[in-house]
Amino acid sequence: MYDELYEISKKHAKHTAWVFSDLQQSKFENAKRCLDLCMEDYARLGNPGEMIWYLGDSTESHNLPELQRMTRIQEEAFESLKIPVCYATGNHDYDYPEFCHQEGRTDYVMPFYDMIRSHSDWYTTRDSEETWFKVPFGNHTVYFFCDHVAHDNSWCSTHNRIRYGAEAYPYGPEHFASIRHDMEACETGIITAAHCAFPGGNRDTHLMSLIQPLPLSVRLHLYGHSHIGEYICPKERIFSQIQWVDWQDIPQVDVSSFENIRGSYCRSVLLQVYEDDSLGLFFRNHDEHRFESAFFPASRSYEVAGNYENRVELSKAPWD
């Protein structure tokens, strides 16, 4: 049924993005097998996306030669599609900087992130210390939130927290509030994307919660990090793909993962924007060459009675 629905819906789609995260392998052979499987199945669909949104964890480990090899095969694969890549970094993109930090070194490289930046028509943050970037997508603006690391490796933020160097970390609540103010001034509908979820999604968050409350122009949040079908990370949420942002009528969707070793199969999502600017998401099972489900978010979000700050205060337990 979902494959038939996709064939109908794509006739009305004026924009399509291919969204995925977490190839995340430490062994080249595993990365290549999963990447090849996904690329071959995507070709069966006719390569429908006009952009790739890659939501972090392209590689894993601090073995630099392996990181470089896994970067090259992904670069070659995505270059062949001749469409832009938008890349929001995730925690495993910082495995090598963290290894260098533990060795007392201030130098580091991030092969995949550096590769993305080398392409003039691909998108990520302008340098490693920045926390976000935005890209137009039809009549929407997409805000991508990223992990980040100091130029001198004195601090690093991963897992949506400060990983090390808290005393040197330069951003406070006012920085994240400034992101919200930028979103409030945006005159288009907004889609957000990151490696991590907002509160209410799979796996705990912190820094992104400082952006809340999100403006009602936010239609949808997309994220990775919590590999669907894997017991270790999602735990009881092992198959939870769609949740809502805490305290807000904004859906958030887990798109991970682009591998079938930790996750249950190689997954990605096709996001469509239709003629009336409504959205549709189709969840692809690349192993079995079929769509597993679909989701059509509401065209608008609703505010509930009372203000956000009061609701959060009322949610706190007496021992908080």
Side-chain angles (χ1 to χ4, degrees):
M1 182 182 74
Y2 293 115
D3 293 274
E4 293 177 4
L5 183 59
Y6 171 74
E7 291 299 320
I8 296 170
S9 70
K10 72 179 185 181
K11 297 175 183 177
H12 302 279
K14 58 181 182 178
H15 300 290
T16 303
W18 189 24
V19 189
F20 51 84
S21 72
D22 299 89
L23 180 61
Q24 191 185 326
Q25 299 300 313
S26 58
K27 295 182 179 180
F28 174 83
E29 293 75 16
N30 289 341
K32 186 176 188 309
R33 181 181 61 77
C34 292
L35 177 65
D36 287 349
L37 187 157
C38 293
M39 293 296 295
E40 289 167 8
D41 185 54
Y42 182 66
R44 287 174 178 242
L45 298 173
N47 300 336
E50 63 193 73
M51 300 181 87
I52 288 172
W53 300 352
Y54 198 160
L55 306 185
D57 282 6
S58 57
T59 58
E60 183 181 19
S61 92
H62 53 76
N63 183 326
L64 188 55
E66 285 289 88
L67 296 178
Q68 291 167 333
R69 291 178 73 199
M70 287 185 282
T71 293
R72 281 195 294 272
I73 60 168
Q74 293 183 73
E75 180 180 26
E76 291 169 359
F78 303 145
E79 278 183 326
S80 71
L81 299 178
K82 302 185 187 308
I83 58 175
V85 179
C86 301
Y87 190 67
T89 54
N91 52 289
H92 282 291
D93 296 303
Y94 299 84
D95 284 353
Y96 189 70
E98 184 168 0
F99 168 75
C100 292
H101 179 78
Q102 292 170 350
E103 295 287 303
R105 294 165 48 187
T106 59
D107 65 305
Y108 64 89
V109 294
M110 295 173 60
F112 195 90
Y113 172 74
D114 294 338
M115 177 274 291
I116 294 288
R117 286 186 12 171
S118 73
H119 288 261
S120 61
D121 58 343
W122 293 8
Y123 302 90
T124 190
T125 52
R126 290 172 296 181
D127 72 60
S128 65
E129 292 189 353
E130 294 188 351
T131 60
W132 66 287
F133 66 99
K134 61 184 178 181
V135 175
F137 186 62
N139 293 330
H140 291 79
T141 301
V142 188
Y143 282 73
F144 293 90
F145 309 122
C146 302
D147 285 333
H148 37 287
V149 63
H151 299 151
D152 63 1
N153 210 6
S154 60
W155 55 262
C156 183
S157 169
T158 68
H159 298 82
N160 211 232
R161 288 176 168 78
I162 302 170
R163 185 71 171 179
Y164 54 81
E167 67 286 350
Y169 187 71
Y171 303 118
E174 66 284 350
H175 168 78
F176 295 94
S178 73
I179 301 173
R180 180 175 67 252
H181 297 329
D182 191 278
M183 297 166 74
E184 289 169 343
C186 182
E187 297 181 352
T188 71
I190 293 173
I191 299 167
T192 62
H195 188 58
C196 289
F198 282 101
N202 293 343
R203 305 187 72 175
D204 194 24
T205 60
H206 171 61
L207 293 178
M208 283 174 53
S209 71
L210 301 178
I211 304 172
Q212 290 180 268
L214 300 176
L216 293 182
S217 53
V218 176
R219 307 279 304 284
L220 173 72
H221 178 63
L222 300 165
Y223 70 97
H225 190 45
S226 185
H227 301 219
I228 299 298
E230 183 210 16
Y231 286 98
I232 295 174
C233 290
K235 298 179 181 175
E236 70 276 6
R237 291 190 174 191
I238 181 172
F239 294 115
S240 177
Q241 292 182 276
I242 302 171
Q243 311 89 32
W244 263 251
V245 176
D246 277 354
W247 299 108
Q248 297 195 257
D249 183 23
I250 300 172
Q252 52 183 335
V253 173
D254 186 347
V255 305
S256 62
S257 58
F258 212 47
E259 50 78 35
N260 57 14
I261 297 168
R262 293 175 58 180
S264 48
Y265 52 79
C266 294
R267 300 169 180 266
S268 72
V269 169
L270 286 176
L271 170 66
Q272 297 176 329
V273 181
Y274 303 116
E275 295 143 339
D276 61 353
D277 283 328
S278 61
L279 307 177
L281 295 93
F282 285 84
F283 297 79
R284 187 70 176 178
N285 177 338
H286 292 293
D287 295 54
E288 299 179 8
H289 314 300
R290 62 189 178 91
F291 290 105
E292 293 278 346
S293 57
F295 175 56
F296 300 91
S299 295
R300 57 171 293 189
S301 299
Y302 291 88
E303 185 61 279
V304 298
N307 63 59
Y308 175 84
E309 290 74 15
N310 284 345
R311 292 196 301 278
V312 172
E313 190 64 32
L314 288 169
S315 75
K316 292 181 179 178
W319 52 83
D320 284 344

